């Protein structure tokens, strides 16, 4: 039964449709994989056993009744623990939410469940999604399935590791500055941040509201596209969620009626049909200084792969990229300082005991409930918004954000997509960056501009770094499109996946699955 683990959505769906396997057997196989390796990986904060069992039996009943099943029927999905699922704690990997159980469900979660998915567990993350290695979790450390001495990336490290280790077929994460793409790159899987507003954020605990976006992790572009199709669309409970996007033919299409299929045509077409006519830019600022040489070489090889398909690949410049890190850490912390003000001991989770008055209760709760990185960011955010500093920092950062957007617009008037490494290096060792926040922040240098621009971006496996101290570790290729051009990004990603075999390489834990 273990050969079930590692299969993609369409393969599992075929087995289900032909009644060669049941949803309960799919669940059992994944639970077995979790039983074997979760001790080593620690991807989950909690397993949603009761719920997954119920959902899998329901799917089997429906199949038994001869119902036509939706796209993700019986597919095990892991969800980052900053999305609400009633009946289970939502912790955001923070002590401050200790004991908090949401009364409502995140729309993205409702949408995958409506498509028949089986929710297998909630995954570890950096506290409140602040971090790049999942080391900021107040609960546990998640290990990279490719090398257990290395971080899985972050902040959605648990979701990336779960998919890479074969604990689930796909997973949901959130990406504010790279938290889907960077861990996807580190764990050798596909991770996509859709256009800002493409997926409802209702029920996602807010970090930085002008940047946050939910998206899928998968082991193939097709699976990511199927999952995105399930979660995309307008939601009246999130006024920032959009109704429109561009489809494969560059037509404006509505997401309202559930008619959108981001995976349409991806599996049938050849790489040449998918990307042969594309104009692709390589972001000059992201393949030079500060980028690991092996990573750089692999990105240049990826460019050659696209050229072989017939695409035109040229260097493009987006000069404001060099300012993105400070701009992001001003805007994200400013927004976080406001969003995290609600955790005060009154409304959610943890409350400081034996406080002598309300003020010391607030202070004690926040002092003991939040971890160091979160406190650092609240202080930084409060500072940049304060009188006297607002114009110098916050306003200036907003202006540079606009400049960056203009530069992206200019590039996208000539190019369909742009490419870069997902991160400057491969997965690093635990503890190697925890004492130096800036070196940690630098791991998002390539992913952050995409959030600031509100653009769709994907990370797909594009090879392995050969001379690292930790054996062979996966490298991610980032593909970015203009706002709403999520279909074009998926198309370029699917073309690369078809032309290469990097996505077939499995993490050692998944490789060990006995066939
Ligand atoms: N690593 C970045 C940060 O710490 C991005 C995190 C994210 O995307 N949630 O803010």
């Amino acid at each position: 039964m273990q050969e079930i683990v590692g299969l993609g959505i369409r393969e599992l769906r075929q087995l289900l449709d032909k009644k060669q396997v049941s949803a309960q057997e799919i669940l059992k196989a994944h639970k077995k994989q979790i039983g074997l390796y979760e001790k080593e990986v620690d991807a989950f904060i909690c397993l949603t056993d009761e719920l997954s069992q119920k959902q899998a039996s329901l799917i089997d009943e429906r199949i038994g009744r001869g119902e036509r099943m939706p796209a993700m029927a019986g597919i095990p999905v892991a969800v980052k623990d900053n999305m609400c699922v009633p009946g289970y704690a939502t912790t955001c990997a923070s002590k401050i939410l200790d004991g908090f159980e949401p009364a409502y469900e995140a729309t993205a979660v409702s949408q995958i469940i409506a498509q028949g998915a089986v929710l297998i567990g909630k995954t570890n993350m950096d506290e409140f999604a602040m971090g790049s290695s999942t080391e900021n979790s107040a609960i546990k450390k998640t290990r990279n399935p490719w090398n257990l001495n290395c971080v899985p990336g972050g902040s959605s490290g648990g979701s990336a590791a779960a998919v890479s280790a074969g604990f689930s077929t796909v997973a949901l994460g959130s990406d504010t500055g790279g938290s889907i793409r960077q861990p996807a790159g580190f764990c050798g899987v596909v991770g996509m941040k859709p256009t800002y507003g493409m997926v409802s954020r209702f029920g996602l605990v807010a970090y930085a509201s002008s940047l946050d976006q939910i998206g899928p992790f998968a082991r193939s572009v097709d699976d990511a596209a199927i999952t995105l199709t399930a979660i995309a669309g307008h939601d009246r409970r999130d006024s920032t969620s959009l109704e429109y996007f561009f489809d494969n033919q560059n037509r404006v299409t509505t997401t309202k009626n559930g008619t959108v299929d981001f995976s349409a045509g991806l599996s049938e077409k050849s790489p040449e049909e998918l990307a042969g006519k594309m104009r692709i830019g390589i972001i000059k600022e992201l393949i030079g200084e500060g980028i690991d040489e092996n990573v750089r070489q692999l990105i240049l090889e990826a460019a050659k792969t696209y050229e072989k398909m017939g695409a035109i690949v040229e260097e493009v410049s987006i000069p404001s990229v060099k300012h993105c890190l400070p701009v992001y850490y001003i805007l994200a912390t400013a927004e976080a300082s406001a969003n995290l003000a609600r955790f005060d001991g009154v409304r959610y989770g943890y409350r400081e005991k034996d406080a002598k008055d309300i003020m010391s209760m607030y202070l004690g709760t926040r002092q003991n409930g939040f971890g160091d990185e979160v406190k650092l960011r609240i202080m930084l955010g409060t500072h940049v918004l304060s009188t006297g500093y607002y114009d110098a920092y916050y306003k200036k950062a907003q202006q540079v954000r606009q400049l960056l957007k203009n530069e992206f617009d200019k590039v996208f008037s000539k190019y369909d997509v742009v490419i870069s490494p997902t991160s400057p290096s491969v997965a690093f060792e635990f503890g190697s960056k925890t004492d130096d926040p800036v070196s940690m922040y630098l791991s998002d240098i390539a992913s952050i501009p995409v959030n600031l621009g509100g653009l769709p971006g994907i990370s797909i496996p594009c090879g392995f770094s050969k001379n690292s101290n930790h054996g062979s570790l996966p490298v991610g290729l980032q593909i970015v499109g203009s706002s709403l051009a999520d279909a074009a990004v998926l198309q370029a990603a699917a073309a690369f996946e078809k032309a290469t075999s990097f996505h077939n390489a499995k993490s050692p834990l998944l490789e060990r699955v006995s066939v």
Side-chain angles (χ1 to χ4, degrees), residues 371-397:
D372 286 347
E373 181 67 22
V374 175
K375 282 189 270 194
L376 185 145
R377 295 196 188 195
I378 293 173
M379 285 191 280
L380 188 60
T382 311
H383 178 72
V384 298
L385 288 175
S386 59
T387 318
Y389 294 99
Y390 182 94
D391 283 353
Y393 295 115
Y394 186 75
K395 192 171 160 203
K396 200 35 133 280

Side-chain angles (χ1 to χ4, degrees), residues 147-408:
N147 185 321
L148 299 169
N149 297 318
C150 292
V151 301
S155 64
S156 316
S159 287
V163 171
S164 165
F167 298 159
S168 66
T169 313
V170 294
L172 297 185
S174 66
D175 190 314
T176 305
S179 280
I180 292 176
R181 289 156 290 152
Q182 187 256 24
F186 278 18
C187 291
V189 296
V190 175
M192 180 166 184
K193 182 200 93 73
T195 294
Y196 181 74
M198 184 63 74
V199 179
S200 165
R201 292 175 297 143
F202 177 79
L204 166 75
V205 179
Y207 161 16
S209 312
S210 78
L211 302 156
D212 296 341
Q213 187 56 205
I214 292 174
F217 285 94
R219 289 186 297 267
S220 70
V221 173
D222 191 42
D223 282 1
I226 295 171
T227 311
L228 178 61
T229 303
I231 59 178
H234 179 68
D235 176 12
R236 63 180 177 78
R237 289 170 301 182
D238 175 1
S239 58
T240 63
S241 69
L242 304 166
E243 286 176 27
Y244 302 102
F245 78 103
F246 297 130
D247 71 5
N248 301 348
Q249 271 85 50
N250 229 7
R251 293 177 306 220
V252 175
T253 304
T254 177
T255 59
K256 223 174 185 173
N257 309 319
T259 49
V260 174
D261 182 1
F262 284 102
S263 68
L266 294 185
S267 36
E268 299 85 22
K269 289 185 183 150
S270 69
E272 291 73 21
E273 284 169 315
L274 288 165
K277 292 199 175 64
M278 281 193 173
R279 289 154 307 167
I280 299 176
I282 307 191
I283 306 176
K284 189 172 114 192
E285 288 76 11
L286 293 173
I287 48 159
E289 213 188 312
I291 307 294
D292 176 285
E293 187 51 31
N294 285 320
V295 171
R296 203 176 87 87
Q297 284 310 326
L298 287 172
I299 303 307
L300 297 177
E301 276 169 36
K304 285 198 198 116
T305 305
Y306 278 115
E307 277 175 344
K308 273 195 215 126
M309 292 174 211
I312 296 169
V313 187
E314 287 165 349
E315 230 174 56
V316 297
S317 174
I318 304 178
S320 295
V321 158
K322 59 179 174 296
H323 303 304
C324 282
L325 218 52
V327 166
Y328 170 84
Y329 278 95
I330 290 168
L331 299 178
T333 57
E335 294 180 26
S337 72
N339 277 327
L340 272 56
R342 72 191 68 169
F343 303 108
D344 56 5
V346 177
R347 283 163 277 207
Y348 304 91
Y350 173 74
R351 173 182 297 173
E352 179 77 348
K353 289 199 188 63
D354 306 324
K356 61 179 190 318
D357 52 29
I358 182 102
M359 205 57 196
S360 41
M361 191 281 285
Y362 287 153
L363 293 174
T365 299
R366 289 169 71 80
Q367 176 70 34
N368 299 320
F370 287 133
D372 286 347
E373 181 67 22
V374 175
K375 282 189 270 194
L376 185 145
R377 295 196 188 195
I378 293 173
M379 285 191 280
L380 188 60
T382 311
H383 178 72
V384 298
L385 288 175
S386 59
T387 318
Y389 294 99
Y390 182 94
D391 283 353
Y393 295 115
Y394 186 75
K395 192 171 160 203
K396 200 35 133 280
Q398 291 286 26
Q399 287 166 333
V400 180
R401 183 177 190 177
Q402 189 55 52
L403 276 181
L404 174 79
K405 281 188 180 172
N406 298 347
E407 289 168 17
F408 268 123

